[in-house]
Amino acid sequence: LAGLAVTGALPLSSCSTDTAIPTITGEAVTSAAVAASGEGADAELSYTDLGIDEADLLVDPTDAVELVLADGASAGGRGVSVDGDVVTITAAGTYHVSGSLSTGSLLVDAPDGAVTLVLDGVDITAGSVAAIDVVDAERVVLWLADGSENVLADDSGAQVDESGQDPTNATLFSTSDLWIAGEGALSVTAHAADAITSKDSLVIAGGEITVEAADDGVRGKDHLVITGGAITADVAGVALRSDNDAQTHAAGEPVGVVPIDGGTLDLTAASAAVDAARQVTVLSGELTIAATDDGLHSDNVLRIDGGTIDITESYEGIEGAHLY
């Protein structure tokens, strides 16, 4: 800024027409871009680089297995097992889920299977941390039924058990790829830690989602992709986050990336609002941000190429090692 002030004053302090005013040339801009457009950890990424399997979001609930939740009396068909107030889905398929549990949980443990949960008026308060816990699956789609109100919460005194290698630390928790779509509403409250977490990729393609959390709001460890829907977050940690800093997944795909290409986001965070270990990209959407720390933050590349971003409060509004 000091340099700009000095050069800007030169024409006023001299009558000479020979004074040259320094300018930033196209070559200078290009040389800065090269650092983040080549190979390696600094390379800028597109969505196709992430290797995310496209989920089938055309859900036909008429073929779904009916699962009705009720304290001490949950009932389901094939692929469903009930143990008290712990209900487990053990087979691939589509399940239409309704009803409530006051101190229970819905588990998905279907190794190598794709599971779709059509949530249609679900209200689960967990006995501990996770109200819905994806233990194992190829991928899981949470489809919010049109017009439905769905509520997930952990126990008010819940605490995360950090003794294991992969602790369950969210009210909606998944170890597998997780997709959230549909035209219904989902409210998630987390007293222990995160509201929604996938240890793999998390894609939000629709729905009206509201989260309150003692830590992070919505976290996809490998990737957090937002293509639609509405997200309202009021959290004590980071509102939207992808924090895998390993640079690449075991299969070679890059990780730690948050692409936003649609949706309406209203984010209030006591830390950063959007944070990624490798890249944040905003292509479209409407973002309103109030953050105690950064509004948009990436440890590496941050690109804004569309959308509307209104940062009403922050420490640093937009920060990245390579900023476009």
Side-chain angles (χ1 to χ4, degrees):
L1 290 176
L4 290 173
V6 170
T7 57
L10 286 174
L12 301 178
S13 60
S14 172
C15 294
S16 171
T17 59
D18 296 331
T19 302
I21 300 175
T23 59
I24 298 176
T25 68
E27 292 180 357
V29 174
T30 301
S31 66
V34 167
S37 63
E39 300 295 330
D42 285 345
E44 187 172 7
L45 307 167
S46 66
Y47 177 77
T48 55
D49 295 324
L50 306 183
I52 297 175
D53 291 333
E54 295 294 331
D56 183 2
L57 297 181
L58 298 177
V59 176
D60 184 3
T62 60
D63 296 331
V65 176
E66 287 294 331
L67 172 55
V68 179
L69 305 176
D71 289 341
S74 297
R78 65 184 185 278
V80 177
S81 68
V82 178
D83 182 8
D85 287 331
V86 177
V87 180
T88 305
I89 292 172
T90 59
T94 300
Y95 298 82
H96 180 264
V97 189
S98 60
S100 63
L101 294 171
S102 59
T103 52
S105 56
L106 174 60
L107 276 60
V108 176
D109 193 358
D112 303 321
V115 175
T116 297
L117 303 178
V118 180
L119 303 188
D120 192 359
V122 169
D123 189 342
I124 302 174
T125 299
S128 181
V129 174
I132 294 181
D133 186 355
V134 179
V135 178
D136 195 5
E138 178 186 350
R139 68 169 179 260
V140 171
V141 174
L142 255 61
W143 182 268
L144 308 176
D146 190 8
S148 67
E149 298 280 344
N150 304 281
V151 179
L152 304 177
D154 61 356
D155 181 77
S156 59
Q159 295 183 344
V160 176
D161 182 0
E162 300 286 359
S163 62
Q165 184 177 1
D166 201 16
T168 301
N169 63 348
T171 304
L172 170 51
F173 180 82
S174 177
T175 60
S176 308
D177 288 345
L178 177 65
W179 293 66
I180 302 176
E183 299 299 327
L186 174 65
S187 173
V188 184
T189 301
H191 300 94
D194 298 350
I196 302 173
T197 285
S198 168
K199 303 293 283 188
D200 211 324
S201 297
L202 172 56
V203 181
I204 297 178
E208 183 178 338
I209 300 168
T210 303
V211 297
E212 296 182 6
D215 196 0
D216 298 337
V218 182
R219 182 164 70 101
K221 183 174 182 180
D222 288 350
H223 318 106
L224 171 56
V225 180
I226 298 172
T227 62
I231 301 173
T232 301
D234 188 353
V235 302
V238 177
L240 307 179
R241 186 175 198 181
S242 181
D243 60 342
N244 191 341
D245 59 2
Q247 298 300 331
T248 58
H249 191 273
E253 294 91 356
V255 294
V257 184
V258 180
I260 300 173
D261 193 4
T264 301
L265 314 179
D266 187 351
L267 311 176
T268 302
S271 183
V274 180
D275 180 80
R278 178 159 179 173
Q279 181 170 322
V280 173
T281 302
V282 181
L283 299 178
S284 66
E286 298 182 8
L287 289 75
T288 302
I289 290 171
T292 301
D293 200 350
D294 297 347
L296 300 175
H297 174 92
S298 171
D299 289 349
N300 186 35
V301 173
L302 195 154
R303 174 178 288 280
I304 298 172
D305 202 12
T308 302
I309 301 170
D310 182 10
I311 301 176
T312 63
E313 178 185 350
S314 69
Y315 178 70
E316 293 176 330
I318 302 170
E319 182 185 25
H322 305 280
L323 181 63
Y324 304 103

